[in-house]
Amino acid sequence: MPLRQSVRLAGYLAKQRILHREKFPLLVELEPLFACNLKCAGCGKIAQPAALLKRRMPVEQAVAAIEESGAPMVSIAGGEPLMHPQIDEIVRQLLARKKIVFLCTNAVLLPRHLHRFTPHRNFAWMVHIDGLRERHDASVCRTGVFDQAVAAVRLAQGAGFRVNTNTTFFSSDSPADVVDVLDYLNDDLGVDNMQISPAYAYGKAPDQEHWLGVEQTRELFRKAFADGRRRKWRLNHSPLFLDFLEGKLDLACTAWAIPSYSLLGWQRPCYLLDDGYAGTYRELVETTDWSAFGRGNDPRCANCMAHCGYEPSAVFATVGSLRQSIRAAVGH
Ligand code: SF4
Ligand code: SF4
């Protein structure tokens, strides 16, 4: 992330330490709707009842939830956020409150809606691209979406926006697939930063065959990151999280630091599981038995290496170590 944002995050972390807060959010996954214009095989979000798919979160509710949590960063997802009629207003109001905002999108609707947004130093698009043309179109179950996403990225870049990408990998991906798509996004498309994730085994997703196990994930990334490639890619992750993906170290889950707020409330315990909802972030933190979750504690967590559980753990380990802080600062 840009230096200015890293400094802000460091200040936020220092403040939590001074206030002796043990659990606090780094980033909220805000889902102001569940509806989407695609039906990806690996999606665990769109299998909601029809009445819920029609609902849109009011702007005031979205902003109040983020304010209550105190999080410095917000990732707006869904569903497809560009199907929310006031999504631009939600973004504007969060930026006015000095939040760092990422707007996740499959980019199909982006060209039609780009004029509603203005480039801002704390705003970035986060475009979903799971692979090169054939692989991405298979992942989103529609031909032509890769080309639409690439065209939308170029349009947004040309209009002066920061553009990041988010790529999810499945057991059908080889290390060469990982290398090819990251090389393309980094060198050819020239996006600002890239986020990567092993797919989480959503019980509600239509495709139940292609989830990665922990050892498969480690092998996939160990091979993909070999020969110094990891250093050249502009990955939007801390070095320790990438070490974690490669299996060089293990971390405990800290899902309370990247909570999810949707039309249903604060999701317990995380964006991926669904053990009920709390009315406020404070209630979520205080009424969840966090020791019951994470690998080794809950069978549903057994294969999870998702960033919502483990990137905060890597960030906390980084700021607690001078050596790791220097590594993060130089991007290795
Ligand atoms: S684009 Fe995102 S929200 Fe829409 S179906 Fe695909 S994974 Fe789900
Ligand atoms: S390990 Fe953590 S982030 Fe992953 S599913 Fe379990 S609680 Fe959620």
Side-chain angles (χ1 to χ4, degrees), residues 34-40 42-46 78-80 106 128 140:
F34 288 115
C36 188
N37 52 342
L38 293 179
K39 287 195 174 87
C40 303
C43 184
K45 294 289 169 180
I46 49 176
E80 170 52 61
N106 57 47
H128 168 190
V140 301

Side-chain angles (χ1 to χ4, degrees), residues 4-69:
R4 187 187 56 255
Q5 293 180 1
S6 300
V7 169
R8 271 198 49 206
L9 194 57
Y12 172 78
L13 288 167
K15 185 175 163 194
Q16 306 312 308
R17 186 172 285 190
I18 290 165
L19 294 173
H20 299 290
R21 287 197 184 127
E22 277 183 25
K23 294 187 172 61
F24 50 86
L26 290 181
L27 176 147
V28 173
E29 298 270 8
L30 174 66
E31 297 174 317
L33 79 171
F34 288 115
C36 188
N37 52 342
L38 293 179
K39 287 195 174 87
C40 303
C43 184
K45 294 289 169 180
I46 49 176
Q48 301 287 355
L52 189 52
L53 290 174
K54 284 190 190 136
R55 285 179 52 197
R56 307 288 183 261
M57 187 182 291
V59 176
E60 305 70 37
Q61 183 184 338
V63 174
I66 302 302
E67 286 281 70
E68 185 268 332
S69 77

Side-chain angles (χ1 to χ4, degrees), residues 1 164-167 169 178 181-183 185-186 191-197 221 224-225 228-239 241-243 245-246 311 328 331-332:
M1 73 173 26
N164 297 346
T165 50
N166 183 17
T167 304
F169 296 106
V178 178
V181 69
L182 293 182
D183 273 350
L185 297 172
N186 195 84
V191 300
D192 289 282
N193 289 111
M194 299 167 298
Q195 195 158 296
I196 54 177
S197 182
F221 289 113
F225 290 166
R229 278 185 292 267
R230 184 179 129 176
R231 292 184 177 205
K232 98 171 184 176
W233 291 324
R234 292 181 296 281
L235 294 169
N236 191 27
H237 296 287
S238 60
F241 181 70
L242 299 175
D243 287 350
L245 288 182
E246 281 193 64
E311 177 82 66
H332 296 166

Side-chain angles (χ1 to χ4, degrees), residues 238-241 311-329:
S238 60
L240 277 185
F241 181 70
E311 177 82 66
S313 323
V315 170
F316 299 138
T318 300
V319 295
S321 153
L322 179 61
R323 179 170 164 267
Q324 296 302 340
S325 298
I326 292 169
R327 263 185 95 199

Side-chain angles (χ1 to χ4, degrees), residues 282-295:
R282 213 23 57 204
E283 182 193 331
L284 174 79
V285 163
E286 289 171 0
T287 62
T288 302
D289 177 8
W290 298 100
S291 67
F293 300 101
R295 269 185 285 122

